[in-house]
Amino acid sequence: EDEDLPKGLRQLKLPPDKTSNSNKILQFQRNRTTRIKLDRKSLNFTPSCEFTGREAVSAVTRAQSQVCKQRIVNVTCLNQQGLLYPERIQSLCPHSPGFIDKPVSLGCFKDDKTLRILSGYYHVFKGNNSPERCTFLCLQSGYLYAGTEYSVECFCGMEKPSQLKRLPDSSCNMKCSGNPKYSCGGYLTINVFWTGIQKFKAQEARNTSIDGENEKPARIAYLLTVNGRASRQVKRLINILYHPSHLFYIHVDARQDYLYREMLEVEKSCKTSNIKVARGENLRHASIWGGASLLTTLLKSAQQMLAHHHHWDFLVNLSESDFPIKNNAQLTQFLSLNKGMNFVKSHGREVQRFITKQGLDKTFVECETRMWRIGDRKLPDGIQIDGGSDWVALSRDFVEYVANTNPDTLVTDLLKVFKYTLLPAESFFHTVLRNSKFCNTYIDNNLHVTNWKRKLGCKCQYKAVVDWCGCSPNDFKLEDFSRIRNTIDRNLFFARKFESIIDQRIIDRVEEWLYSENLNKTVNAKGYDAYWQSLYHAADLSPLTDDAQLTVSNSLARLIFHKLNVNYKDVRLLETTAYFKQNQFVGILILAEVTLQQQTVQQKRIESLVYPRHNFSTSREWLGKIQSLSVNTDYDQKEKTFRNLIGSIGPYSYPVLSYEFDTGITTPQNLSILWVDPYGRLAEVNYIQLEEMTLTGYVKPQFNEHLVVGTWHLFLVADSLLVAKMNFLVTPLAYWKNKKIDPERAKEVNNASVDSYHITEEMNKKWSHLLNSVNFYERTTHMTDNEIKINSNLDQWIDKLVQKHYEIDKICNVNDTELKLQKCINTYWSSLSPDTKADINNLC
Ligand code: UDX
């Protein structure tokens, strides 16, 4: 389960025709095989070849910019002409996938003293056309030590590794008869590690085989590739990993202004200069999921890390969602004993199957921060393709080789292949390792435990950025702790994924376990059971904030000052933050200021804790039967939660209803869900059948693209009885692309009136009784009122609506003495209150 198997799941069917709507996620239509032709008129250049490939044409058609279109065309043409990839690459590995005539002992040492690490990935063939049995003598003549990890897979097939067919029998004593053309072969991977449980042996060997430079504890260079806004979690990660002998090189996705600024602060706080943040266009990339740019990022970062004066022995890459599961001393000890080795995790499948699942036999082009699939390709002969996980621990020697600015032919040729590869970081290092002179240093272990739950994690969730269905691991939760603890005797040092907004308690638990000697200090530290995650910062230019979120945040800022009776004119929203306590989402923090011009210019800055109201009620019979019911956007099917923490829904949002019913409910139970717009019109009806196993789930209503603004209503009906109702706000927008909306646009956006919904007369009739019984506020006001609101009183209108859906609870004072409020720094909830676990001030 913890194996880092390929991320690629299956290929997406591409849309057959032009998708002009650039703002929307592309709808990948399945089962349509219409041939598509390239519309040459849409190009402002002449393609250098004639091309008709369905995938390439689809990509050119969907791409927006001419630059991107041209890139796709050029790469396609080069591929068609056979000029894009080398046909053959010479492997430099002495044990390259050759056909060793004799079974070899695979380097199993008999002598304790010389035991270090044995590793390898060997094809052993007993000669062509031989129907003999495969026998790996290693397992018989050599002997393996306690703690040894080994796995053997046997194959029968043609001689080329890619054509080997895996047999169901994975023991290594099998018959390969039948087809005389077939030879018998197999892969054997042996890793022998020294671990804590083998202290005795390790100690013994240490005396005899480790000397000089090798005796020094290994120094680690962490390459952190980070994305998103979880800056406090990244700081916590740095805090727990920090040691003066390690180097930290941080790459922040080029689009993430907030996280970048936060990481610059971390760098600044560390006077010892062993924390470095990648800067500038050349070193920062928009490293999209699965993109070729992630490999570029890793290689460029590695070059910078090699050039850094801080010497290191291993490069370990981690992301914002990784966390250690062994302490620093254990990791250092392990790596010290294994200097020169390279830790990568292989897919553990038949190679051809891996290639297909991963899309390695397809050409992808990255532009417009998307990986476009443009067609099939033939991988070069002569090398062994390998891959698995892109979380690695590489020796300095190997990094010097693979990231060299003047690489040898093997690396140059492989770079040509991996420049056009989906998820290249998952195969590039493996493939170079296998085929280079470093092949004997290959250890099939990436030191990671990964929380794969493929039913949840393979939902094609990256189709907005890649022409492929990819998978992601799930976040660990507190209930998974035993799984982590069970790795105690294994050479696993990191786990992924962790997200504080999903479950911070598991991170706490792991930290308490790793550093139990600090337990008292840790758990009593200020802010320990709280978590803050930024949603918006006024200094952000990229990525654009959702306009509905910006509208609601600004409205709340005004409402807070209004509540304080501060006579304000210009309220400035500074930050919006999500606040969690005891592993639960609590509410939204709004940090804002006003400038008052009385006798002197005064700035008042405050922060407030705001709760979204759950305007939800159930009938008496159904009390306690519904655990949760919420309408929101950005539903994450993998973690089964909404990512939109402020809960703002705008006219262009796609609302989703998520539900959780109590296990005590009588099943099966049929429910109708009625979506009613602010004017009391039935907009959509969904049906769900509750079964014992489906008490939690979500429903996506099919609405028109443009939602009517105002308070919407949702009714839950069981057996013609109204059992629950709730309402939610579709907020008018005060911002458009993050700028104050102009009246023309506001009219178009906020004044939508839908002629009709996809509701039949019959349905309307069926539910009219229920709808008529509810009094809708907006129904009584005339549409034209909205025009007045839009032109002159947009903010007041929004504030009135927002007030009904959010509750301002606490307010604290940042810098003012006149306001009789608690100081933010002294509260337990303010984003300015102490948070020891993410405090990096005394780090270096
Ligand atoms: C899975 C695999 O575990 C991983 O090996 C593979 O690279 C991607 O698929 P997943 O959880 O889906 O991981 O990806 P995630 O951890 O979110 O992203 C992978 C890396 O790319 C991280 O370092 C992340 O910071 C970075 N990334 C992701 C960006 O820099 N920008 C993005 O937009 C998305």
Side-chain angles (χ1 to χ4, degrees):
E1 243 207 345
D2 58 17
E3 254 181 318
D4 229 329
L5 291 168
K7 270 16 118 248
L9 175 68
R10 69 194 133 87
Q11 145 176 4
L12 273 169
K13 284 255 161 63
L14 298 169
D17 42 33
K18 272 191 264 181
T19 321
S20 54
N21 195 344
S22 62
N23 288 334
K24 296 281 174 302
I25 288 177
L26 290 167
Q27 295 297 316
F28 286 88
Q29 299 169 10
R30 286 153 208 278
N31 308 326
R32 287 183 54 183
T33 48
T34 336
R35 277 188 75 79
I36 50 170
K37 273 178 106 183
L38 182 65
D39 172 15
R40 284 176 176 256
K41 280 193 234 113
S42 67
L43 309 179
N44 71 0
F45 58 93
T46 314
S48 52
C49 69
E50 190 61 50
F51 70 94
T52 49
R54 208 185 105 71
E55 293 171 311
V57 174
S58 163
V60 177
T61 312
R62 286 177 291 134
Q64 296 291 306
S65 66
Q66 290 296 324
V67 177
C68 186
K69 285 174 190 280
Q70 184 147 22
R71 212 171 118 66
I72 295 170
V73 167
N74 290 350
V75 175
T76 309
C77 289
L78 285 174
N79 194 21
Q80 272 180 20
Q81 292 151 9
L83 298 172
L84 193 59
Y85 303 114
E87 245 175 70
R88 194 182 166 79
I89 301 179
Q90 183 63 43
S91 169
L92 305 175
C93 170
H95 304 290
S96 61
F99 304 97
I100 301 163
D101 273 349
K102 282 180 285 175
V104 289
S105 72
L106 299 167
C108 304
F109 286 56
K110 288 180 182 171
D111 177 2
D112 256 8
K113 289 193 181 133
T114 50
L115 173 72
R116 205 156 171 250
I117 282 192
L118 311 176
S119 79
Y121 189 73
Y122 300 84
H123 296 264
V124 181
F125 290 90
K126 293 197 78 184
N128 290 346
N129 306 334
S130 158
E132 285 179 61
R133 284 168 182 277
C134 291
T135 315
F136 287 100
L137 289 186
C138 169
L139 300 177
Q140 296 161 1
S141 66
Y143 61 95
L144 300 168
Y145 292 88
T148 300
E149 296 180 7
Y150 64 92
S151 60
V152 183
E153 284 183 47
C154 284
F155 299 89
C156 269
M158 306 293 279
E159 284 173 3
K160 268 209 195 143
S162 62
Q163 290 169 315
L164 286 169
K165 210 168 150 224
R166 188 170 182 174
L167 292 180
D169 178 2
S170 69
S171 83
C172 242
N173 190 8
M174 62 185 200
K175 209 157 179 184
C176 184
S177 57
N179 188 336
K181 272 205 217 144
Y182 278 24
S183 64
C184 185
Y187 302 120
L188 172 64
T189 312
I190 309 173
N191 299 324
V192 179
F193 298 109
W194 283 326
T195 63
I197 51 161
Q198 288 175 283
K199 255 188 195 138
F200 171 70
K201 273 213 169 88
Q203 237 14 77
E204 201 177 59
R206 194 178 230 279
N207 294 338
T208 55
S209 66
I210 297 177
D211 49 25
E213 178 62 18
N214 277 347
E215 224 168 330
K216 288 192 191 148
R219 281 154 298 184
I220 303 164
Y222 285 106
L223 167 49
L224 305 183
T225 50
V226 295
N227 176 46
R229 304 186 78 92
S231 59
R232 297 197 190 212
Q233 178 55 30
V234 178
K235 289 177 187 172
R236 181 176 191 175
L237 176 66
I238 295 172
N239 253 336
I240 195 165
L241 295 176
Y242 188 81
H243 189 278
S245 62
H246 301 334
L247 171 69
F248 293 81
Y249 186 85
I250 307 172
H251 176 274
V252 184
D253 185 308
R255 296 161 295 177
Q256 299 292 345
D257 286 359
Y258 173 78
L259 196 56
Y260 179 60
R261 288 195 308 272
E262 287 285 297
M263 292 303 115
L264 288 179
E265 282 302 307
V266 177
E267 182 192 73
K268 212 165 91 189
S269 73
C270 196
K271 306 282 178 287
T272 47
S273 84
N274 59 332
I275 301 187
K276 279 274 154 232
V277 176
R279 284 179 169 75
E281 241 174 68
N282 205 18
L283 296 179
R284 282 189 74 195
H285 305 272
S287 31
I288 58 166
W289 188 94
S293 49
L294 192 58
L295 179 59
T296 314
T297 303
L298 296 178
L299 292 173
K300 292 236 170 191
S301 303
Q303 287 162 5
Q304 296 298 307
M305 293 161 84
L306 285 168
H308 196 274
H309 59 83
H310 194 101
H311 187 86
W312 47 269
D313 304 295
F314 281 97
L315 184 153
V316 172
N317 67 329
L318 297 176
S319 78
E320 67 278 3
S321 56
D322 289 73
F323 208 69
I325 53 166
K326 296 275 189 310
N327 65 36
N328 234 321
Q330 289 166 308
L331 175 62
T332 310
Q333 187 199 22
F334 174 78
L335 290 178
S336 304
L337 292 167
N338 292 302
K339 278 191 188 160
M341 293 297 143
N342 289 291
F343 296 89
V344 296
K345 180 86 191 151
S346 184
H347 53 86
R349 296 180 179 198
E350 189 194 330
V351 180
Q352 190 50 46
R353 196 169 136 78
F354 170 71
I355 289 175
T356 325
K357 283 257 161 188
Q358 197 80 353
L360 285 175
D361 50 1
K362 306 270 173 199
T363 296
F364 285 83
V365 175
E366 184 173 345
C367 52
E368 292 177 351
T369 54
R370 180 181 185 85
M371 286 293 270
W372 306 92
R373 193 175 86 223
I374 62 166
D376 293 342
R377 68 177 179 187
K378 188 185 164 295
L379 289 165
D381 289 330
I383 45 152
Q384 194 183 330
I385 300 288
D386 185 29
S389 161
D390 55 359
W391 307 104
V392 295
L394 304 176
S395 70
R396 186 182 184 102
D397 285 351
F398 180 64
V399 177
E400 272 172 0
Y401 171 72
V402 74
N404 200 303
T405 44
N406 188 13
D408 72 358
T409 325
L410 176 78
V411 176
T412 313
D413 281 353
L414 285 174
L415 280 172
K416 285 182 195 156
V417 174
F418 282 93
K419 189 171 174 191
Y420 303 109
T421 300
L422 180 76
L423 290 157
E426 296 196 345
S427 302
F428 177 72
F429 297 107
H430 298 63
T431 304
V432 176
L433 248 184
R434 288 262 190 243
N435 298 287
S436 68
K437 63 172 188 208
F438 293 90
C439 56
N440 277 334
T441 61
Y442 186 113
I443 311 278
D444 188 9
N445 173 2
N446 66 348
L447 316 182
H448 264 75
V449 181
T450 311
N451 191 21
W452 286 112
K453 291 188 177 161
R454 281 165 201 280
K455 267 199 194 131
L456 293 170
C458 296
K459 300 267 190 199
C460 231
Q461 62 268 45
Y462 297 105
K463 62 184 175 198
V465 284
V466 292
D467 286 348
W468 200 253
C469 281
C471 307
S472 280
N474 268 79
D475 290 334
F476 278 105
K477 300 206 170 138
L478 190 57
E479 69 241 31
D480 301 314
F481 179 65
S482 61
R483 242 190 91 195
I484 291 176
R485 193 179 39 205
N486 288 345
T487 62
I488 191 161
D489 292 336
R490 298 180 61 196
N491 293 309
L492 297 168
F493 295 85
F494 302 96
R496 81 193 308 263
K497 301 173 72 163
F498 295 94
E499 271 190 287
S500 291
I501 61 165
I502 300 294
D503 197 322
Q504 179 167 257
R505 289 259 166 104
I506 180 65
I507 305 171
D508 298 343
R509 187 76 191 83
V510 171
E511 183 167 350
E512 289 157 21
W513 176 59
L514 295 187
Y515 294 94
S516 50
E517 67 277 12
N518 299 341
L519 194 64
N520 270 340
K521 220 168 97 196
T522 318
V523 296
N524 294 325
K526 289 205 167 142
Y528 186 63
D529 207 14
Y531 181 68
W532 292 264
Q533 188 153 305
S534 161
L535 302 180
Y536 168 77
H537 192 293
D540 297 344
L541 294 176
S542 165
L544 282 185
T545 309
D546 174 58
D547 287 320
Q549 179 187 313
L550 204 55
T551 301
V552 170
S553 299
N554 273 283
S555 166
L556 287 169
R558 286 190 298 271
L559 290 166
I560 295 158
F561 279 107
H562 182 74
K563 192 172 174 173
L564 287 174
N565 283 323
V566 172
N567 188 8
Y568 64 90
K569 231 180 106 210
D570 254 336
V571 176
R572 270 186 310 284
L573 170 70
L574 301 172
E575 285 186 56
T576 308
T577 309
Y579 170 59
F580 296 77
K581 177 96 186 153
Q582 297 175 341
N583 231 17
Q584 299 284 332
F585 170 69
V586 177
I588 299 297
L589 304 177
I590 300 286
L591 184 71
E593 69 177 15
V594 286
T595 309
L596 299 177
Q597 279 183 324
Q598 289 156 343
Q599 289 92 347
T600 54
V601 178
Q602 271 187 20
Q603 270 185 341
K604 290 188 191 296
R605 193 177 278 200
I606 49 100
E607 186 162 43
S608 172
L609 172 57
V610 179
Y611 306 126
R613 288 183 209 268
H614 296 287
N615 297 333
F616 160 67
S617 62
T618 41
S619 68
R620 200 175 306 148
E621 296 76 27
W622 274 61
L623 259 184
K625 289 187 183 175
I626 305 177
Q627 302 214 324
S628 80
L629 204 58
S630 59
V631 176
N632 197 345
T633 69
D634 303 340
Y635 187 72
D636 175 350
Q637 293 184 55
K638 176 166 78 74
E639 300 302 334
K640 295 189 186 161
T641 187
F642 288 110
R643 293 279 173 177
N644 176 3
L645 292 164
I646 192 167
S648 50
I649 303 174
Y652 298 106
S653 303
Y654 293 96
V656 167
L657 165 76
S658 85
Y659 54 82
E660 196 180 337
F661 290 90
D662 193 77
T663 42
I665 203 166
T666 332
T667 50
Q669 178 91 241
N670 286 318
L671 290 177
S672 305
I673 296 155
L674 276 59
W675 301 77
V676 180
D677 83 0
Y679 298 96
R681 295 174 301 194
L682 188 59
E684 166 78 313
V685 183
N686 301 126
Y687 304 97
I688 46 177
Q689 190 180 27
L690 295 183
E691 304 275 357
E692 214 178 310
M693 301 305 290
T694 57
L695 292 173
T696 37
Y698 70 98
V699 178
K700 251 190 205 163
Q702 295 295 315
F703 286 138
N704 304 25
E705 282 204 344
H706 193 161
L707 299 176
V708 178
V709 297
T711 299
W712 281 65
H713 301 263
L714 189 123
F715 300 107
L716 236 74
V717 182
D719 298 330
S720 335
L721 286 178
L722 180 63
V723 295
K725 59 180 180 184
M726 66 178 297
N727 62 42
F728 63 92
L729 173 65
V730 174
T731 177
L733 296 184
Y735 291 84
W736 185 253
K737 297 191 176 158
N738 291 198
K739 300 231 162 65
K740 268 271 180 206
I741 199 164
D742 61 69
E744 252 335 276
R745 176 81 64 185
K747 211 162 142 186
E748 177 194 324
V749 168
N750 297 333
N751 225 358
S753 92
V754 180
D755 295 336
S756 64
Y757 293 105
H758 309 291
I759 296 285
T760 59
E761 245 336 277
E762 209 179 307
M763 264 208 249
N764 264 322
K765 237 192 216 148
K766 180 176 174 192
W767 300 109
S768 63
H769 173 69
L770 177 82
L771 299 181
N772 287 335
S773 66
V774 192
N775 183 24
F776 295 100
Y777 167 75
E778 276 90 346
R779 191 189 285 174
T780 54
T781 58
H782 199 264
M783 289 273 197
T784 49
D785 282 358
N786 286 355
E787 279 202 38
I788 303 162
K789 291 172 196 162
I790 287 160
N791 285 332
S792 51
N793 294 319
L794 178 59
D795 284 352
Q796 280 101 311
W797 180 31
I798 292 172
D799 292 355
K800 216 165 164 182
L801 289 167
V802 167
Q803 202 160 19
K804 282 195 214 146
H805 294 269
Y806 293 85
E807 180 193 344
I808 297 167
D809 183 39
K810 301 177 173 49
I811 307 176
C812 68
N813 187 354
V814 180
N815 62 351
D816 189 281
T817 43
E818 277 175 38
L819 293 170
K820 301 244 169 320
L821 293 169
Q822 195 178 7
K823 270 194 151 300
C824 291
I825 201 166
N826 296 330
T827 66
Y828 62 87
W829 54 267
S830 163
S831 65
L832 302 162
S833 67
D835 179 7
T836 321
K837 60 192 179 312
D839 186 355
I840 35 89
N841 283 320
N842 300 318
L843 192 63
C844 316

